[in-house]
Amino acid sequence: MTVIGITGPTGSGKTTALAALERRGFEVVDCDALYYRLLQTSAALRRDLEAAFGPVFLPDGSLDRRTLAARVFGDPEELERLNKVVYPAVYAAVEQKIRNCTRKGVAIDAINLVESGIGALCGATVAVTAAPEVRLRRIMARDGLSEDQAGARIAAQKPDSYYRALCSHVVENRTEDRPAFERQ
C-alpha cells in the first residue's frame, strides 16, 4: 500500500492535491480533523493535556482553544510541551488509519508532517508550494481576510525552503486554476 504525506504552507493547494489523490483511490487522513476528534474521544489525550496545562476544557467538555493558544503560541517551551502531548496521540491514530486502510493507499494531510514523526510512516513526503502572492489571494478569498491578516498568516509560517529541504518531493502550484493544478 502507498502512503503519501502532504505538507506545505497555508494556501499552497494541499487540499486540491489531496482531493486529486482521493479521486484516484486514496483514503485521505486530515491530521487536524483527527486531532479534534481525539480531543472528543481520547480520555488519555484529555488527561495528558490537563496534566501538562491544567484545566483546559470548558464545562461542555470542549477544549478551551483560546486559553491554550494564549499560553503556547508565544512561548516556544510551552508549544514544545503541547507538541509532546499531541504528536504521539495523532501519530498513533494515523498508524491505526494506515493499518485499517482498505483502499489503494493513504494520503496524509499534516502541516507538521516531519516534526510530528508522521513523515516516517510515509513512502513519500510531498511539499506543496505556491508563490506568496498567489497564497495571499487564496487565503483572503477562502477565509474572508484582509490583505494584512492574510499576510500575517503567511509571515508566521515556515518558508517554502523548509518544506523543500525536508520532503522527498515538491509540487509547485504555479496556477490559480484548480483543475489545471489537479492535472499537474
Side-chain angles (χ1 to χ4, degrees):
M1 173 182 18
T2 303
V3 180
I4 301 171
I6 305 285
T7 193
T10 187
S12 62
K14 294 182 302 293
T15 301
T16 301
L18 288 157
L21 286 168
E22 187 170 35
R23 279 192 292 285
R24 286 167 176 80
F26 282 77
E27 177 179 346
V28 171
V29 176
D30 178 338
C31 287
D32 285 342
L34 194 55
Y35 167 64
Y36 291 115
R37 189 166 57 251
L38 288 170
L39 285 172
Q40 297 170 346
T41 61
S42 173
L45 176 59
R46 294 172 66 86
R47 184 180 57 249
D48 291 348
L49 284 168
E50 288 192 323
F53 298 102
V56 292
F57 291 95
L58 297 169
D60 69 0
S62 65
L63 180 68
D64 186 347
R65 293 172 61 182
R66 277 196 183 148
T67 298
L68 187 58
R71 185 162 174 186
V72 303
F73 293 123
D75 185 334
E77 289 177 13
E78 289 290 281
L79 181 58
E80 181 63 27
R81 185 181 340 175
L82 175 64
N83 291 340
K84 284 182 179 181
V85 172
V86 172
Y87 287 169
V90 174
Y91 182 99
V94 169
E95 257 188 330
Q96 186 67 39
K97 289 272 192 188
I98 292 168
R99 275 195 300 276
N100 293 340
C101 181
T102 58
R103 299 183 73 185
K104 176 180 185 174
V106 177
I108 302 166
D109 177 5
I111 189 71
N112 293 314
L113 182 73
V114 176
E115 302 91 318
S116 66
I118 293 171
L121 299 172
C122 303
T125 54
V126 180
V128 179
T129 64
E133 61 276 4
V134 172
R135 293 175 48 218
L136 183 76
R137 286 191 298 273
R138 287 182 186 150
I139 296 166
M140 289 170 60
R142 180 189 71 202
D143 299 338
L145 300 175
S146 71
E147 187 172 335
D148 288 343
Q149 291 169 319
R153 283 194 186 178
I154 289 171
Q157 292 193 327
K158 295 174 179 88
D160 289 352
S161 60
Y162 172 84
Y163 298 102
R164 282 188 182 103
L166 295 174
C167 291
S168 60
H169 300 78
V170 177
V171 175
E172 219 172 301
N173 184 351
R174 295 185 184 147
T175 181
E176 295 205 38
D177 179 2
R178 196 175 185 135
F181 179 56
E182 285 186 29
R183 287 189 300 276
Q184 178 187 344

